[in-house]
Amino acid sequence: ANCRCARCRATIYAHVPPEIAAAGLIGPKLNAHLVWLKTHTPVSYSNLQRHLHDAFALQVSRGLLDKVVQKAGHGLRPLWDELYRAVRSEARWHVDETGHPEGQRKGWTWVFRARSFTLYLIAHSRGAKILEQVLGRLLQGVLHADYCSAYRKYIGAHNVLAQFCL
């Protein structure tokens, strides 16, 4: 890492310890603040940039902000994987999906509500194949869902008990 002395204008080089370099350019508290803002409010990366500039006089690229959010997501992946595996052992599932733009494609956020946890999955499909992927083929229990064709197809193909909401 290097910086320039404001008085003499000399460039000073310093060795950055590996544990500091691995942590990234944004500390844990600001990292948590940014991830919370990005995941709990409809804020764009440009507005996050503006927020950092206005609140803390920091200039940060949108790319770095995206890396901060992605890194948090990767850190949560082992927990998500555990929930993904656990969803099949539940006796009841409340499932729904909602569409949203995902870049240039249509995306779907699927919600699988079990007794003690909720699993979210973002996919580019609204089809029954997502239900097969998450719940499997040998489902023992009751599926609670709306009357969307994906649920009816899954229920018919796997002889699953269902309760529909209207």
Side-chain angles (χ1 to χ4, degrees), residues 19-34:
E19 61 275 10
I20 300 297
L25 297 173
I26 296 188
K29 289 182 181 178
L30 184 55
N31 194 324
H33 176 70
L34 293 171

Side-chain angles (χ1 to χ4, degrees), residues 49-67:
Q49 255 186 325
R50 195 170 299 116
H51 168 66
L52 288 176
H53 181 267
D54 294 348
F56 306 110
L58 294 174
Q59 291 186 356
V60 178
S61 72
R62 289 189 308 268
L64 178 59
L65 293 173
D66 181 57
K67 284 182 184 178

Side-chain angles (χ1 to χ4, degrees), residues 3 9 14 22 29 32 40 43 60 99 101 104 106 116 123 127 132 146 153 164 166:
C3 64
R9 309 290 293 155
K29 289 182 181 178
H40 287 78
V43 65
V60 178
Q104 300 298 323
K106 178 88 172 184
S116 61
E132 287 184 355
D146 60 26
K153 180 178 179 182
F164 293 112
L166 298 177

Side-chain angles (χ1 to χ4, degrees), residues 1 9 31 34 62 72 76 83 85 96 98 110-111 116 152:
R9 309 290 293 155
N31 194 324
L34 293 171
R62 289 189 308 268
L76 294 172
L83 295 176
R85 288 186 301 274
D96 200 9
T98 188
W110 286 81
V111 178
S116 61
R152 292 183 315 213

Side-chain angles (χ1 to χ4, degrees), residues 112-161:
F112 296 84
R113 178 73 177 107
R115 180 179 41 86
S116 61
F117 65 91
T118 303
L119 177 76
Y120 294 93
L121 174 73
I122 297 176
H124 290 289
S125 171
R126 189 183 188 195
K129 67 181 180 180
I130 300 299
L131 294 163
E132 287 184 355
Q133 175 186 326
V134 175
L135 299 176
R137 294 174 177 261
L138 302 173
L139 191 63
Q140 300 293 319
V142 180
L143 178 66
H144 301 267
D146 60 26
Y147 207 62
C148 174
S149 62
Y151 304 112
R152 292 183 315 213
K153 180 178 179 182
Y154 178 78
I155 289 163
H158 304 294
N159 199 24
V160 173
L161 294 175

